[in-house]
Amino acid sequence: ACRSPACYRPAGPCGPFRVFRNQLPRRNDTYPEEPPPEEPPPGPAPAPPRRLGSGAALCRVCGCLGPRCCGRCRRAAYCGPEHQALDWRRGHRRACGQHDAGDHSAEAIPEHNEFLFPEYEILIEPEEPEFPADSTDDEQGAVDTSKDVKEQEELGAASIADGAFQSLDEETLEAMAKHETEEEKIFQMFKKQVAAEPEQIIRYCRGGESPLWVSGENRPEEKDIPNCVCGAKRIFEFQIMPQLLNHLQVDSLGDSIDWGTLVVYTCADNCGGGNEYLEEFIWKQDYSMGCT
């Protein structure tokens, strides 16, 4: 995704987002077979690599392969002219060519926080049951229903008092009120689930439970989810929660990017393999106008 707010307004179910899948076997040429230790070894953290094991240079801005290099110092690598120009304006202009032989301090990879999203470690934990063992869904439903009835009465009173609604017939008003009640119920359920795990940024349940929607509007039907390029159906794998926005440091842009939830559907047959990236399908759902 682009972090520019202007890119978050195109029409369509995906907005500016694209999602890619890459599957590697446990034994591969990129990552070690065993996971890293829980506690990092003592001493300073290793510097990020400037080159891959194959000797290929990495772009100083995004970390992708960097076939281009700075024409002046011949040390800074870039994936293309856009990132080279960006890095030049953000500091390489001053550091270029100022280091001595063996001194790599000027080659330190900058943090382009105004351009890239920050990176974090994601901790994976099973989700706790929604309700305690000694409670029932019926009891919980009774509480939510009574709250919805009260909110419905307030909405109905406000609608009747509004002169713009007085011209509508009773059947239309009833249908509108019912829709608002359902929307509020869905959103309250979403907020309740989020409150149980306020730090959760991803809900993962491949082929299992359906996504936790923030609204009854703009939900995909089966026909809206295209099949994979191999012909297999795509199934729900995970969703990205709005809590992630708190960590992306986008408010400084002046016009923050936003979403209700991002739902990712992937190939049910896990087609492909090797080192290739395959594009999958993502559905962007915003908050309903009636959610508060």
Side-chain angles (χ1 to χ4, degrees), residues 111-124:
E111 294 184 1
H112 289 282
N113 291 332
E114 76 288 343
F115 178 74
L116 301 176
F117 291 117
E119 296 183 6
Y120 300 93
E121 179 185 9
I122 298 177
L123 301 179
I124 303 174

Side-chain angles (χ1 to χ4, degrees), residues 41-226:
R50 294 193 258 295
R51 290 184 175 272
L52 296 176
S54 62
L58 304 179
C59 175
R60 280 166 49 92
V61 175
C62 66
C64 295
L65 289 175
R68 297 174 60 97
C69 66
C70 175
R72 182 179 176 186
C73 68
R74 311 297 297 180
R75 291 178 176 269
Y78 303 98
C79 62
E82 293 83 3
H83 286 186
Q84 183 174 0
L86 176 70
D87 189 46
W88 181 261
R89 295 193 302 267
R90 300 300 185 187
H92 186 62
R93 182 206 308 262
R94 296 185 298 273
C96 183
Q98 294 184 0
H99 57 275
D100 298 326
D103 178 14
H104 299 285
S105 59
E107 294 183 67
I109 297 177
E111 294 184 1
H112 289 282
N113 291 332
E114 76 288 343
F115 178 74
L116 301 176
F117 291 117
E119 296 183 6
Y120 300 93
E121 179 185 9
I122 298 177
L123 301 179
I124 303 174
E125 298 177 351
E127 192 173 49
E128 296 295 329
E130 183 177 358
F131 303 119
D134 57 350
S135 66
T136 64
D137 292 345
D138 292 339
E139 293 173 353
Q140 297 292 337
V143 176
D144 293 341
T145 301
S146 62
K147 183 178 180 181
D148 289 335
V149 170
K150 183 178 179 180
E151 292 174 349
Q152 172 56 35
E153 291 174 351
E154 295 174 354
L155 286 172
S159 298
I160 295 174
D162 195 311
F165 287 95
Q166 291 181 358
S167 60
L168 300 176
D169 57 65
E170 185 176 347
E171 183 177 348
T172 303
L173 287 171
E174 184 177 351
M176 292 175 61
K178 182 177 180 181
H179 174 72
E180 291 173 352
T181 302
E182 287 299 318
E183 277 298 300
E184 186 66 20
K185 183 182 295 184
I186 293 170
F187 186 62
Q188 290 299 330
M189 184 182 301
F190 179 84
K191 289 203 303 182
K192 184 175 182 179
Q193 190 75 36
V194 167
E197 300 287 347
E199 298 298 320
Q200 186 181 53
I201 60 170
I202 292 177
R203 290 176 58 87
Y204 188 96
C205 190
R206 187 173 191 269
E209 299 177 6
S210 62
L212 182 64
W213 299 105
V214 300
S215 170
E217 303 174 354
N218 191 29
R219 293 189 188 184
E221 299 180 7
E222 187 173 352
K223 61 181 178 62
D224 297 321
I225 304 172

Side-chain angles (χ1 to χ4, degrees), residues 14-66:
C14 306
F17 300 97
R18 298 180 70 182
V19 58
F20 297 88
R21 170 171 56 91
N22 176 247
Q23 297 173 210
L24 290 174
R26 183 167 181 175
R27 294 183 180 180
N28 61 82
D29 297 332
T30 306
Y31 299 103
E33 181 178 346
E34 298 298 329
E38 290 288 339
E39 295 295 331
R50 294 193 258 295
R51 290 184 175 272
L52 296 176
S54 62
L58 304 179
C59 175
R60 280 166 49 92
V61 175
C62 66
C64 295
L65 289 175

